Amino acid sequence: MTDDTFDLSEDLDLNPEFLDVDPLEEKYRASITPVQAIQQSLEEHHTALLVIDLQYLDAARGFGVFANVDREQMPHEAEEFYFDSLENTVLPNVRRLQDTFRANKLEVVHIRIQSLTQDGRDRSPGHKRLGLHAAPGSKEAEFIPEVAPVGDEIVINKSASGVFNATNLEYVLRNMGVTGLFVCGVYTNECVSTTIRDASDLGFYTTLIADGCTTVTPELHTATIRTVKDRYSRVMTTDDAIKEINKVVA
C-alpha cells in the first residue's frame, strides 16, 4: 500500500496546468494521512464506511429534486453527467465497498436526508430555502435499492448538509470505537465535502473514495477532490480501497 493512491491527472484526465503543485502538500499529508494509524484502525475493526445521501430525494431520475427539473436552473448536460456518473460508476462502486466492508465485519453507516416531521418544520434554514424535504415514510426518504441498508446497519437521518453538525453521528461512532472513516455518496462538493471536513476536524482518519462520489459537473467534482486531498482526507479509488482493506484486515 502507498500513501498516495489517487492521481487526479491520471484518473480524471485533466489538463496538467490545472494541477499545479500544492507547495504545502507534503506538510499537510504528514499530519492528515498517517498511514500507520489508518492501518491500525482497519486492523482493529475501528473503521466504518459512511454512505452519504444515496436516496430517491437526490439520487434517482424523476424523483425528489429531479421530479420537475427547471432547465434554467439545472441544464440537461449537468443532469446527464450526474446520472451517468452515478448509475454507471458510483452506485456499482459503493455496492462493492459495502460488500467489502460487510465481508470484513466492518461497519456500514447510511446517512440520508429525512425530516423529523411530515411538514419538515424541523429542517435547517438552508434546507428550507432549497426546498429539500424528505418526510418520514416518503419515497424521497427511501434508499436507492442496490445500496440500501442490510440487516441492522445504522441509519442516521439529517436535515442539514453537515451530518456531524445536525445529528449524533459522532456520539454513535465514538460508542463503537470508530476512528477511521471511508466516505462516499453525493454530492461531492456539498454534503460529502462537509462530512470530510468535519470528520477531519473531529480527529477521524478520513478517506474519500473519488470514484464513489459525484456531483452535477466534472469541474465541481474535481475541484472538491483537489481541495480536500491530503489537507482534510486521503483520496483513493474504489479498487485501491478494496485492496487495502482486504490486505490489512485479513
Side-chain angles (χ1 to χ4, degrees):
M1 185 190 71
T2 66
D3 63 352
D4 188 13
T5 54
F6 185 74
D7 184 338
L8 285 174
S9 60
E10 178 181 344
D11 288 84
L12 296 181
D13 191 24
L14 298 174
N15 186 333
E17 294 181 0
F18 179 70
L19 297 168
D20 294 333
V21 174
D22 181 349
L24 296 177
E25 181 178 12
E26 293 302 327
K27 173 182 174 64
Y28 276 90
R29 179 184 298 172
S31 59
I32 295 299
T33 58
V35 175
Q36 183 176 357
I38 294 170
Q39 287 182 326
Q40 183 176 353
S41 181
L42 279 169
E43 289 171 353
E44 297 175 351
H45 288 72
H46 291 168
T47 296
L49 176 67
L50 294 189
V51 184
I52 310 294
D53 297 353
L54 290 179
Q55 61 188 102
Y56 277 86
L57 176 68
D58 59 359
R61 295 180 189 266
F63 291 92
V65 298
F66 296 98
N68 298 294
V69 178
D70 183 345
R71 296 301 177 193
E72 293 183 359
Q73 297 186 21
M74 173 66 76
H76 177 72
E77 294 79 7
E79 184 181 358
E80 284 306 303
F81 169 79
Y82 175 66
F83 280 110
D84 283 348
S85 60
L86 180 68
E87 294 166 355
N88 296 321
T89 302
V90 173
L91 292 178
N93 283 340
V94 170
R95 179 54 188 269
R96 291 170 59 212
L97 286 165
Q98 291 175 334
D99 290 345
T100 300
F101 270 73
R102 290 163 181 156
N104 286 283
K105 302 187 184 310
L106 298 169
E107 292 285 346
V108 178
V109 179
H110 304 261
I111 312 300
R112 68 175 167 189
I113 297 169
Q114 180 178 283
S115 304
L116 295 171
T117 57
Q118 290 297 319
D119 64 4
R121 62 186 181 275
D122 58 287
R123 290 172 295 163
S124 67
H127 276 203
K128 288 176 180 175
R129 289 193 297 270
L130 291 170
L132 290 176
H133 176 44
S138 67
K139 187 68 175 181
E140 288 77 15
E142 289 183 19
F143 291 100
I144 303 301
E146 54 262 52
V147 293
V150 172
D152 68 346
E153 289 176 348
I154 292 171
V155 174
I156 301 289
N157 300 320
K158 67 185 175 78
S159 55
S161 178
V163 64
F164 283 103
N165 287 322
T167 75
N168 67 340
L169 175 61
E170 182 188 5
Y171 173 78
V172 172
L173 294 175
R174 302 293 189 199
N175 285 350
M176 296 189 296
V178 171
T179 54
L181 297 172
F182 283 52
V183 182
C184 57
V186 296
Y187 298 153
T188 313
N189 59 311
E190 296 183 15
C191 296
V192 173
S193 174
T194 303
T195 298
I196 290 287
R197 288 168 176 263
D198 289 346
S200 175
D201 284 347
L202 290 168
F204 291 98
Y205 304 122
T206 307
T207 300
L208 172 62
I209 307 301
D211 55 1
C213 58
T214 190
T215 187
V216 293
T217 72
E219 292 81 9
L220 285 171
H221 177 72
T222 302
T224 303
I225 291 173
R226 184 186 180 197
T227 299
V228 303
K229 183 177 184 290
D230 293 331
R231 284 180 178 259
Y232 298 95
S233 175
R234 289 194 307 170
V235 177
M236 301 182 77
T237 64
T238 300
D239 285 344
D240 286 331
I242 291 173
K243 288 177 185 176
E244 177 183 89
I245 294 165
N246 288 333
K247 178 181 178 181
V248 175
V249 179

